[in-house]
Amino acid sequence: MKQLVSSPVFETPLEPYLTCIDYTVSKKEFSILIDKETDLLVTSPRPKDEDLGAYYESEDYISHADAKKSLFDKLYQFVRNYTIKKKIELLETFNVSEKKVLDLGAGTGDFLLACKKHGWNAAGVEPSRKANKIASLKLSSSLEYDIESLRGKQYDVITMWHVLEHVPNLTTYIEQLQQLLAKNGTLVVAVPNHQSYDAKHYGKFWAAYDVPRHLWHFSQKSIEKLFAKVEMKVIQTLPMKFDAYYVSLLSEKYRGGKMNPLKAFLTGFRSNLKARRSNQYSSLIYIIKNA
């Protein structure tokens, strides 16, 4: 029987897709529903806004920490440093005059620090108090806690590295993004892709579902339709090839109880190989402009 629930974004019907477990914090089950018309997936039930923070309280949630304890932490830090370098190279390809960049979901501030070192006028938003404090110390300047604090300002480039999937009020947030973007500015959005090979391979164990922290789960079709609502257009998609390996490593742990580096590597490699033709990488970077 179809579930009579409407998408809070497109007001179209949602149907059951699969059931996932929050392996990181609560160990609770959550449903993922699909909007077949737009290919958007929605986590259900969605925690109340005031309860969301509790689902990030874990030492395993290393995007909000600078942990370098285990071999996995060290590997994560190595890959993060490499990807930051590639992100800076991407920014340098944009034709901007003032070099004003806003990073939403800045985490512990490493990307913004790299931006500053390369001559960018860098600002950021980070809702986690712990991560915000670490980032502010690194940058010797304060980060905002929410996007509303930036009302009236504009930026040449706005970046969201694996952040959009966490945003509770998706439609309102995207409207705010458009207001913050300068006339000829560029929005950079990186999110997991539920149409990737590794997503289909691991199914309910796919780590990038990350319920309930990930409230939304995107594909190229859903991203294009989402931003078209505010007259913005995806002009380019780029792969995040390391994500296939990282996500596969965690997915192996969720499926079998332990990390299996060899299996994870083979799955990640196969996912990237298949994506060379389909462009369905584990995660994608969307370059978005006003239409």
Side-chain angles (χ1 to χ4, degrees):
M1 182 181 294
K2 292 185 178 181
Q3 190 159 338
L4 299 178
V5 179
S6 294
S7 165
V9 179
F10 295 104
E11 298 182 357
T12 42
L14 293 175
E15 300 176 21
Y17 185 68
L18 50 77
T19 300
C20 295
I21 294 174
D22 171 17
Y23 291 96
T24 306
V25 178
S26 69
K27 314 305 179 189
K28 293 179 182 178
E29 277 193 349
F30 291 85
S31 295
I32 293 181
L33 310 178
I34 184 170
D35 174 353
K36 288 186 175 179
E37 187 175 325
T38 65
D39 207 29
L40 178 70
L41 306 183
V42 182
T43 296
S44 178
R46 193 183 88 179
K48 295 179 181 179
D49 291 356
E50 60 268 27
D51 296 333
L52 273 171
Y55 289 97
Y56 291 86
E57 298 299 323
S58 169
E59 290 186 2
D60 291 334
Y61 205 73
I62 55 181
S63 69
H64 284 170
D66 282 342
K68 295 180 181 178
K69 299 175 184 177
S70 68
L71 178 61
F72 182 73
D73 292 335
K74 291 176 181 177
L75 179 62
Y76 178 88
Q77 300 296 334
F78 172 81
V79 172
R80 183 173 68 171
N81 290 338
Y82 174 81
T83 56
I84 285 174
K85 179 183 176 183
K86 302 304 289 185
K87 290 172 184 177
I88 296 296
E89 290 176 2
L90 175 62
L91 260 63
E92 297 293 349
T93 66
F94 302 145
N95 185 23
V96 296
S97 54
E98 296 185 51
K99 296 187 74 171
K100 293 176 65 177
V101 60
L102 171 66
D103 187 34
L104 299 172
T108 54
D110 293 279
F111 171 66
L112 281 178
L113 184 61
C115 288
K116 289 187 75 171
K117 288 179 178 177
H118 285 81
W120 285 81
N121 182 1
V125 172
E126 175 48 56
S128 164
R129 293 197 173 275
K130 180 181 177 182
N132 191 306
K133 183 178 180 180
I134 295 171
S136 296
L137 287 172
K138 284 181 185 177
L139 297 164
S140 300
S141 60
S142 298
L143 271 64
E144 300 292 345
Y145 285 98
D146 55 66
I147 194 172
E148 286 79 11
S149 305
L150 302 171
R151 189 171 297 174
K153 298 182 179 179
Q154 288 197 318
Y155 300 87
D156 298 306
V157 180
I158 299 175
T159 58
M160 301 181 72
W161 306 109
H162 288 289
V163 171
L164 193 65
E165 61 268 37
H166 297 266
V167 172
N169 302 311
L170 192 57
T171 301
T172 301
Y173 200 92
I174 288 175
E175 290 171 353
Q176 291 173 314
L177 289 176
Q178 189 184 42
Q179 293 167 6
L180 289 168
L181 198 63
K183 184 177 180 181
N184 295 312
T186 303
L187 174 64
V188 181
V189 175
V191 288
N193 173 26
H194 71 75
Q195 289 290 351
S196 65
Y197 170 81
D198 48 292
K200 296 178 183 298
H201 176 77
Y202 288 111
K204 65 181 181 179
F205 299 107
W206 191 50
Y209 283 130
D210 198 23
V211 293
R213 288 159 295 280
H214 290 188
L215 303 170
W216 320 95
H217 314 274
F218 304 103
S219 65
Q220 294 182 62
K221 181 179 180 180
S222 58
I223 285 287
E224 287 173 358
K225 286 186 173 291
L226 190 60
F227 282 93
K229 287 183 67 178
V230 292
E231 298 183 345
M232 297 184 79
K233 185 177 181 180
V234 177
I235 62 168
Q236 188 180 10
T237 58
L238 301 168
M240 299 187 81
K241 295 181 181 179
F242 276 115
D243 280 30
Y245 301 105
Y246 171 65
V247 169
S248 293
L249 195 60
L250 285 178
S251 301
E252 287 292 337
K253 180 182 178 182
Y254 296 165
R255 186 171 66 176
K258 62 180 181 179
M259 291 183 183
N260 190 319
L262 180 58
K263 280 188 177 181
F265 175 82
L266 290 174
T267 302
F269 180 80
R270 190 174 293 117
S271 185
N272 283 333
L273 190 64
K274 288 180 176 292
R276 290 178 65 179
R277 290 188 177 182
S278 66
N279 198 37
Q280 299 289 3
Y281 287 91
S282 183
S283 291
L284 287 165
I285 300 170
Y286 297 90
I287 310 300
I288 303 169
K289 306 272 285 187
N290 286 314

